[in-house]
Amino acid sequence: TWSMTAPFSEIVTNRLRLVPFDEATARAVLDGDLTNVRAAEGWPHEGTANGLTVALHRDGPPGWMITLRGEVIGDSGTKGGADSSGTVEIGYGLAASIRGLGYGTETVGAMAGWLLAQPATVIVRACTLADNAASRRVLEKNGFSLKGYDVRRQAVYEREA
Protein backbone atom coordinates (compact mmCIF):
# COMPACT_ATOMS: atom_id res chain seq x y z
CA THR A 1 0.00 0.00 0.00
CA TRP A 2 1.33 3.41 -0.96
CA SER A 3 1.73 5.84 1.89
CA MET A 4 3.53 9.09 2.54
CA THR A 5 6.75 7.26 3.37
CA ALA A 6 6.67 4.74 0.51
CA PRO A 7 8.84 5.66 -2.47
CA PHE A 8 7.38 6.64 -5.81
CA SER A 9 8.16 4.36 -8.75
CA GLU A 10 9.76 5.50 -11.97
CA ILE A 11 7.15 6.12 -14.66
CA VAL A 12 8.03 5.79 -18.34
CA THR A 13 5.90 7.36 -21.09
CA ASN A 14 6.35 7.58 -24.86
CA ARG A 15 8.82 10.48 -24.58
CA LEU A 16 9.49 11.01 -20.89
CA ARG A 17 10.83 9.36 -17.76
CA LEU A 18 9.45 10.52 -14.42
CA VAL A 19 12.34 9.76 -12.08
CA PRO A 20 11.63 9.85 -8.33
CA PHE A 21 13.57 12.47 -6.42
CA ASP A 22 15.58 11.09 -3.56
CA GLU A 23 15.80 13.29 -0.48
CA ALA A 24 19.47 14.21 -1.07
CA THR A 25 18.81 15.36 -4.64
CA ALA A 26 15.72 17.32 -3.57
CA ARG A 27 17.70 19.10 -0.84
CA ALA A 28 20.58 19.80 -3.25
CA VAL A 29 18.20 21.36 -5.80
CA LEU A 30 16.69 23.52 -3.04
CA ASP A 31 20.24 24.65 -2.16
CA GLY A 32 20.87 25.57 -5.80
CA ASP A 33 23.25 22.63 -6.33
CA LEU A 34 22.50 21.05 -9.72
CA THR A 35 25.78 19.09 -10.03
CA ASN A 36 23.98 15.72 -9.91
CA VAL A 37 21.27 16.54 -12.49
CA ARG A 38 21.31 17.60 -16.13
CA ALA A 39 18.94 20.56 -16.03
CA ALA A 40 17.20 22.01 -19.08
CA GLU A 41 17.27 25.76 -19.58
CA GLY A 42 14.72 27.23 -17.17
CA TRP A 43 14.71 24.38 -14.66
CA PRO A 44 14.27 24.59 -11.74
CA HIS A 45 11.21 26.71 -12.61
CA GLU A 46 9.37 29.21 -10.41
CA GLY A 47 7.35 26.52 -8.58
CA THR A 48 10.08 23.91 -8.00
CA ALA A 49 11.33 25.20 -4.65
CA ASN A 50 7.83 25.48 -3.20
CA GLY A 51 6.86 21.95 -4.25
CA LEU A 52 10.05 20.37 -2.89
CA THR A 53 9.87 22.37 0.35
CA VAL A 54 6.26 21.29 1.00
CA ALA A 55 7.07 17.62 0.27
CA LEU A 56 10.15 17.54 2.49
CA HIS A 57 8.34 19.41 5.29
CA ARG A 58 5.57 16.79 5.23
CA ASP A 59 8.10 13.93 5.29
CA GLY A 60 6.65 12.62 2.06
CA PRO A 61 8.23 11.55 -1.19
CA PRO A 62 9.65 14.69 -2.88
CA GLY A 63 8.03 13.78 -6.20
CA TRP A 64 9.41 13.16 -9.66
CA MET A 65 11.91 14.86 -11.93
CA ILE A 66 10.40 14.99 -15.41
CA THR A 67 13.19 14.03 -17.80
CA LEU A 68 13.52 14.13 -21.58
CA ARG A 69 16.54 12.24 -22.95
CA GLY A 70 18.17 12.43 -19.51
CA GLU A 71 17.66 16.17 -19.05
CA VAL A 72 15.37 17.47 -16.28
CA ILE A 73 12.67 19.61 -17.90
CA GLY A 74 10.24 19.83 -14.97
CA ASP A 75 8.99 18.31 -11.76
CA SER A 76 5.79 16.92 -10.35
CA GLY A 77 4.49 15.42 -7.15
CA THR A 78 1.70 15.16 -4.64
CA LYS A 79 0.65 17.46 -1.83
CA GLY A 80 0.63 14.65 0.73
CA GLY A 81 -0.81 11.17 0.62
CA ALA A 82 -4.41 10.16 0.08
CA ASP A 83 -6.84 11.72 2.57
CA SER A 84 -9.64 9.77 4.26
CA SER A 85 -11.77 9.98 1.09
CA GLY A 86 -8.93 8.61 -1.07
CA THR A 87 -8.16 11.99 -2.67
CA VAL A 88 -4.59 12.93 -3.60
CA GLU A 89 -3.71 16.44 -4.87
CA ILE A 90 -1.00 16.78 -7.51
CA GLY A 91 1.22 19.60 -8.65
CA TYR A 92 3.41 19.87 -11.75
CA GLY A 93 5.48 22.36 -13.65
CA LEU A 94 7.79 22.55 -16.64
CA ALA A 95 10.68 24.79 -17.63
CA ALA A 96 9.30 27.70 -19.67
CA SER A 97 11.59 26.80 -22.59
CA ILE A 98 9.71 23.54 -23.29
CA ARG A 99 6.10 24.43 -22.49
CA GLY A 100 3.47 23.96 -25.18
CA LEU A 101 4.95 20.75 -26.61
CA GLY A 102 2.61 18.26 -24.91
CA TYR A 103 5.00 17.23 -22.14
CA GLY A 104 2.66 18.52 -19.43
CA THR A 105 -0.23 16.50 -20.83
CA GLU A 106 1.96 13.40 -21.01
CA THR A 107 3.25 13.93 -17.45
CA VAL A 108 -0.16 14.50 -15.84
CA GLY A 109 -1.68 11.50 -17.61
CA ALA A 110 1.12 9.20 -16.50
CA MET A 111 1.18 10.52 -12.95
CA ALA A 112 -2.62 10.32 -12.53
CA GLY A 113 -2.63 6.79 -13.93
CA TRP A 114 0.11 5.69 -11.54
CA LEU A 115 -1.57 7.31 -8.52
CA LEU A 116 -5.01 5.87 -9.36
CA ALA A 117 -3.42 2.40 -9.54
CA GLN A 118 -2.39 2.74 -5.87
CA PRO A 119 -4.84 1.07 -3.44
CA ALA A 120 -5.44 4.17 -1.27
CA THR A 121 -6.22 6.53 -4.19
CA VAL A 122 -9.76 7.02 -5.50
CA ILE A 123 -9.54 10.60 -6.80
CA VAL A 124 -6.68 12.71 -8.14
CA ARG A 125 -7.21 16.46 -7.67
CA ALA A 126 -5.36 19.39 -9.21
CA CYS A 127 -5.81 23.10 -8.59
CA THR A 128 -4.64 25.73 -11.06
CA LEU A 129 -5.03 29.46 -11.46
CA ALA A 130 -8.39 30.14 -13.07
CA ASP A 131 -6.71 32.10 -15.89
CA ASN A 132 -4.06 29.44 -16.63
CA ALA A 133 -5.64 28.14 -19.84
CA ALA A 134 -2.70 25.87 -20.71
CA SER A 135 -2.78 24.04 -17.37
CA ARG A 136 -6.55 23.72 -17.53
CA ARG A 137 -6.28 22.16 -21.03
CA VAL A 138 -3.68 19.67 -19.72
CA LEU A 139 -6.11 18.53 -17.04
CA GLU A 140 -9.14 18.38 -19.36
CA LYS A 141 -7.17 16.34 -21.97
CA ASN A 142 -6.44 13.84 -19.19
CA GLY A 143 -10.06 13.29 -18.16
CA PHE A 144 -10.15 15.70 -15.22
CA SER A 145 -13.47 17.51 -14.62
CA LEU A 146 -13.87 21.03 -13.28
CA LYS A 147 -15.44 20.78 -9.80
CA GLY A 148 -15.50 24.48 -8.93
CA TYR A 149 -13.23 27.13 -7.43
CA ASP A 150 -11.45 27.15 -4.08
CA VAL A 151 -11.04 29.99 -1.58
CA ARG A 152 -7.94 31.18 -3.46
CA ARG A 153 -10.07 31.43 -6.64
CA GLN A 154 -8.23 28.53 -8.25
CA ALA A 155 -9.98 26.11 -10.59
CA VAL A 156 -10.33 22.71 -8.89
CA TYR A 157 -10.22 19.64 -11.14
CA GLU A 158 -10.67 15.98 -10.26
CA ARG A 159 -10.29 12.62 -11.99
CA GLU A 160 -11.78 9.50 -10.47
CA ALA A 161 -10.47 5.95 -10.69
Side-chain angles (χ1 to χ4, degrees), residues 11-121:
I11 303 170
V12 179
T13 70
N14 287 338
R15 301 181 293 171
L16 304 172
R17 284 178 60 223
L18 278 61
V19 179
F21 271 104
D22 58 54
E23 185 176 343
T25 302
R27 290 192 187 285
V29 170
L30 279 173
D31 290 340
D33 176 1
L34 301 179
T35 54
N36 291 323
V37 295
R38 267 186 52 219
E41 179 186 336
W43 190 85
H45 57 82
E46 60 278 359
T48 300
N50 184 55
L52 289 176
T53 300
V54 167
L56 291 169
H57 176 73
R58 291 188 175 157
D59 263 350
W64 291 274
M65 291 177 282
I66 304 164
T67 67
L68 175 66
R69 295 184 292 277
E71 192 172 64
V72 182
I73 62 170
D75 49 86
S76 62
T78 65
K79 298 179 181 179
D83 66 16
S84 60
S85 70
T87 300
V88 174
E89 186 174 341
I90 61 170
Y92 51 91
L94 297 170
S97 63
I98 56 84
R99 292 178 186 156
L101 301 172
Y103 299 127
T105 300
E106 199 167 323
T107 296
V108 169
M111 190 171 49
W114 187 88
L115 288 165
L116 289 168
Q118 306 310 307
T121 308

Side-chain angles (χ1 to χ4, degrees), residues 137-146 157-160:
R137 275 195 307 277
V138 162
L139 294 167
E140 290 163 2
K141 285 180 189 176
N142 279 296
F144 284 75
S145 301
L146 178 63
Y157 283 83
E158 290 183 351
R159 177 173 152 186
E160 296 184 32

